[in-house]
Amino acid sequence: MVIIMLGAPGSGKGTQCKWISSKYGIEHISMGDIFRRNIKERTDIGIEAEKYINEGKLVPNSIAIKTLEETLDKIDNLEKGIILDGYPRTIIQAEKLDEYLERKSLKLDAVINLTIPDEEIISRVVNRRICSNVKCGEIYNINNNPSKKENVCDKCGANLIKRADDNQGTALNRVDVYHKQTKPLIKYYNEKGILNTILGVGTLEENQTNIESILNKI
Ligand code: AP5
Ligand code: MG
């Protein structure tokens, strides 16, 4: 099973992908998490990516494509299934992904497009907190999904942190970039007949039910 989770910043991609990954036993590949891990470890990719991420811009295609392909190459049994969170984000990335999957004899089964009004995005991201333990990465929201103990992850007990790009200014740029560079992918995948759009504004459970009905048809 190869699934793409498409959506604006804060639409709930990470939250839903974590759930899908544990329910269906497929690998969750979050491009944002990969870059953040590289930033923390001060790798060459991380140092380069950080400049773009902190301004709310996309990391250049050449870096994103190489990083994604190297990540997938390291997975032993890709056929078991993957869910791509935040990849692709440009038409060029989508075309290169098609080529990669073809080389590996894999089929893209579905694209889930989570929609959310722009007005809700900023409030969601500025109130988000994430687990500082990169192996955990649990996602919270101080408004609607707080941890039981303030600033402590319910799952692993590590501290919660705010992402460097979760401030209002950067988030507004991310929304703008989404509309200009990523939204064209909706048409791209709709024309391939594999696009499934669901409202990201429902409760987490409502979103899960909608996703389940899409994935159960595959
Ligand atoms: P990335 O980390 O992927 O950021 P993003 O796309 O902006 O998405 P977010 O992670 O902010 O939101 P999400 O949709 O995962 O929502 P979440 O579940 O956390 O990428 C970061 C940066 O890396 C990019 O800006 C770019 O620079 C670079 N990058 C990444 N991929 C790239 C690529 N392919 N090419 C080039 N550059 C790339 O939820 C958000 C909040 O809402 C949370 O607090 C959550 O608790 C809450 N929430 C979730 N669902 C609900 C709900 N149903 N109701 C109420 N609250 C909810
Ligand atoms: Mg995310």
mmCIF file with all atom_site columns, all heavy atoms in Angstrom, residues 13-14 30 36 85 128 139 163, ligand 2:
data_model
loop_
_atom_site.group_PDB
_atom_site.id
_atom_site.type_symbol
_atom_site.label_atom_id
_atom_site.label_alt_id
_atom_site.label_comp_id
_atom_site.label_asym_id
_atom_site.label_entity_id
_atom_site.label_seq_id
_atom_site.pdbx_PDB_ins_code
_atom_site.Cartn_x
_atom_site.Cartn_y
_atom_site.Cartn_z
_atom_site.occupancy
_atom_site.B_iso_or_equiv
_atom_site.pdbx_formal_charge
_atom_site.auth_seq_id
_atom_site.auth_comp_id
_atom_site.auth_asym_id
_atom_site.auth_atom_id
_atom_site.pdbx_PDB_model_num
ATOM   1  N  N   . LYS A 1 13  ? -1.992 16.373 8.855  1.00 0.00 ? 13  LYS A N   1
ATOM   2  C  CA  . LYS A 1 13  ? -1.305 15.286 8.147  1.00 0.00 ? 13  LYS A CA  1
ATOM   3  C  C   . LYS A 1 13  ? -0.549 14.381 9.116  1.00 0.00 ? 13  LYS A C   1
ATOM   4  O  O   . LYS A 1 13  ? -0.695 13.156 9.097  1.00 0.00 ? 13  LYS A O   1
ATOM   5  C  CB  . LYS A 1 13  ? -0.290 15.847 7.114  1.00 0.00 ? 13  LYS A CB  1
ATOM   6  C  CG  . LYS A 1 13  ? -0.896 16.715 6.038  1.00 0.00 ? 13  LYS A CG  1
ATOM   7  C  CD  . LYS A 1 13  ? 0.144  17.171 5.023  1.00 0.00 ? 13  LYS A CD  1
ATOM   8  C  CE  . LYS A 1 13  ? 1.233  18.067 5.556  1.00 0.00 ? 13  LYS A CE  1
ATOM   9  N  NZ  . LYS A 1 13  ? 0.761  19.394 6.047  1.00 0.00 ? 13  LYS A NZ  1
ATOM   10 N  N   . GLY A 1 14  ? 0.290  15.009 9.948  1.00 0.00 ? 14  GLY A N   1
ATOM   11 C  CA  . GLY A 1 14  ? 1.121  14.222 10.876 1.00 0.00 ? 14  GLY A CA  1
ATOM   12 C  C   . GLY A 1 14  ? 0.267  13.417 11.845 1.00 0.00 ? 14  GLY A C   1
ATOM   13 O  O   . GLY A 1 14  ? 0.510  12.227 12.068 1.00 0.00 ? 14  GLY A O   1
ATOM   14 N  N   . SER A 1 30  ? 7.643  11.135 7.155  1.00 0.00 ? 30  SER A N   1
ATOM   15 C  CA  . SER A 1 30  ? 7.325  12.559 7.215  1.00 0.00 ? 30  SER A CA  1
ATOM   16 C  C   . SER A 1 30  ? 8.553  13.347 6.801  1.00 0.00 ? 30  SER A C   1
ATOM   17 O  O   . SER A 1 30  ? 9.591  13.317 7.457  1.00 0.00 ? 30  SER A O   1
ATOM   18 C  CB  . SER A 1 30  ? 6.928  12.952 8.646  1.00 0.00 ? 30  SER A CB  1
ATOM   19 O  OG  . SER A 1 30  ? 7.109  14.352 8.810  1.00 0.00 ? 30  SER A OG  1
ATOM   20 N  N   . ARG A 1 36  ? 13.786 17.942 10.220 1.00 0.00 ? 36  ARG A N   1
ATOM   21 C  CA  . ARG A 1 36  ? 14.019 18.414 11.597 1.00 0.00 ? 36  ARG A CA  1
ATOM   22 C  C   . ARG A 1 36  ? 15.068 17.551 12.303 1.00 0.00 ? 36  ARG A C   1
ATOM   23 O  O   . ARG A 1 36  ? 15.892 18.047 13.059 1.00 0.00 ? 36  ARG A O   1
ATOM   24 C  CB  . ARG A 1 36  ? 12.699 18.429 12.391 1.00 0.00 ? 36  ARG A CB  1
ATOM   25 C  CG  . ARG A 1 36  ? 11.857 19.680 12.117 1.00 0.00 ? 36  ARG A CG  1
ATOM   26 C  CD  . ARG A 1 36  ? 10.613 19.740 12.972 1.00 0.00 ? 36  ARG A CD  1
ATOM   27 N  NE  . ARG A 1 36  ? 9.610  18.779 12.566 1.00 0.00 ? 36  ARG A NE  1
ATOM   28 C  CZ  . ARG A 1 36  ? 8.749  18.946 11.562 1.00 0.00 ? 36  ARG A CZ  1
ATOM   29 N  NH1 . ARG A 1 36  ? 8.760  20.065 10.863 1.00 0.00 ? 36  ARG A NH1 1
ATOM   30 N  NH2 . ARG A 1 36  ? 7.879  18.016 11.238 1.00 0.00 ? 36  ARG A NH2 1
ATOM   31 N  N   . ASP A 1 85  ? 4.013  11.650 4.210  1.00 0.00 ? 85  ASP A N   1
ATOM   32 C  CA  . ASP A 1 85  ? 3.413  12.819 4.875  1.00 0.00 ? 85  ASP A CA  1
ATOM   33 C  C   . ASP A 1 85  ? 4.201  14.059 4.464  1.00 0.00 ? 85  ASP A C   1
ATOM   34 O  O   . ASP A 1 85  ? 5.354  14.221 4.820  1.00 0.00 ? 85  ASP A O   1
ATOM   35 C  CB  . ASP A 1 85  ? 3.492  12.535 6.394  1.00 0.00 ? 85  ASP A CB  1
ATOM   36 C  CG  . ASP A 1 85  ? 3.271  13.740 7.279  1.00 0.00 ? 85  ASP A CG  1
ATOM   37 O  OD1 . ASP A 1 85  ? 3.035  14.845 6.771  1.00 0.00 ? 85  ASP A OD1 1
ATOM   38 O  OD2 . ASP A 1 85  ? 3.351  13.560 8.515  1.00 0.00 ? 85  ASP A OD2 1
ATOM   39 N  N   . ARG A 1 128 ? 0.442  24.415 18.559 1.00 0.00 ? 128 ARG A N   1
ATOM   40 C  CA  . ARG A 1 128 ? 0.947  23.034 18.535 1.00 0.00 ? 128 ARG A CA  1
ATOM   41 C  C   . ARG A 1 128 ? 2.179  22.900 19.427 1.00 0.00 ? 128 ARG A C   1
ATOM   42 O  O   . ARG A 1 128 ? 3.011  23.791 19.524 1.00 0.00 ? 128 ARG A O   1
ATOM   43 C  CB  . ARG A 1 128 ? 1.333  22.646 17.105 1.00 0.00 ? 128 ARG A CB  1
ATOM   44 C  CG  . ARG A 1 128 ? 2.087  21.306 17.041 1.00 0.00 ? 128 ARG A CG  1
ATOM   45 C  CD  . ARG A 1 128 ? 2.301  20.800 15.644 1.00 0.00 ? 128 ARG A CD  1
ATOM   46 N  NE  . ARG A 1 128 ? 2.748  21.836 14.735 1.00 0.00 ? 128 ARG A NE  1
ATOM   47 C  CZ  . ARG A 1 128 ? 2.621  21.786 13.422 1.00 0.00 ? 128 ARG A CZ  1
ATOM   48 N  NH1 . ARG A 1 128 ? 2.073  20.738 12.848 1.00 0.00 ? 128 ARG A NH1 1
ATOM   49 N  NH2 . ARG A 1 128 ? 3.039  22.767 12.656 1.00 0.00 ? 128 ARG A NH2 1
ATOM   50 N  N   . ILE A 1 139 ? 2.201  14.568 18.703 1.00 0.00 ? 139 ILE A N   1
ATOM   51 C  CA  . ILE A 1 139 ? 1.726  15.919 18.389 1.00 0.00 ? 139 ILE A CA  1
ATOM   52 C  C   . ILE A 1 139 ? 0.585  16.317 19.334 1.00 0.00 ? 139 ILE A C   1
ATOM   53 O  O   . ILE A 1 139 ? -0.369 15.558 19.514 1.00 0.00 ? 139 ILE A O   1
ATOM   54 C  CB  . ILE A 1 139 ? 1.222  15.971 16.920 1.00 0.00 ? 139 ILE A CB  1
ATOM   55 C  CG1 . ILE A 1 139 ? 2.329  15.558 15.950 1.00 0.00 ? 139 ILE A CG1 1
ATOM   56 C  CG2 . ILE A 1 139 ? 0.694  17.361 16.583 1.00 0.00 ? 139 ILE A CG2 1
ATOM   57 C  CD1 . ILE A 1 139 ? 1.850  15.219 14.550 1.00 0.00 ? 139 ILE A CD1 1
ATOM   58 N  N   . ARG A 1 163 ? 7.781  24.013 17.572 1.00 0.00 ? 163 ARG A N   1
ATOM   59 C  CA  . ARG A 1 163 ? 8.621  23.984 16.375 1.00 0.00 ? 163 ARG A CA  1
ATOM   60 C  C   . ARG A 1 163 ? 9.086  25.394 16.019 1.00 0.00 ? 163 ARG A C   1
ATOM   61 O  O   . ARG A 1 163 ? 8.352  26.355 16.197 1.00 0.00 ? 163 ARG A O   1
ATOM   62 C  CB  . ARG A 1 163 ? 7.838  23.397 15.194 1.00 0.00 ? 163 ARG A CB  1
ATOM   63 C  CG  . ARG A 1 163 ? 7.926  21.897 15.116 1.00 0.00 ? 163 ARG A CG  1
ATOM   64 C  CD  . ARG A 1 163 ? 7.011  21.273 14.116 1.00 0.00 ? 163 ARG A CD  1
ATOM   65 N  NE  . ARG A 1 163 ? 6.888  21.936 12.824 1.00 0.00 ? 163 ARG A NE  1
ATOM   66 C  CZ  . ARG A 1 163 ? 6.131  21.486 11.830 1.00 0.00 ? 163 ARG A CZ  1
ATOM   67 N  NH1 . ARG A 1 163 ? 5.453  20.341 11.987 1.00 0.00 ? 163 ARG A NH1 1
ATOM   68 N  NH2 . ARG A 1 163 ? 6.033  22.131 10.694 1.00 0.00 ? 163 ARG A NH2 1
HETATM 69 MG MG  . MG  B 2 .   ? 3.316  17.499 10.162 1.00 0.00 ? 2   MG  B MG  1
#
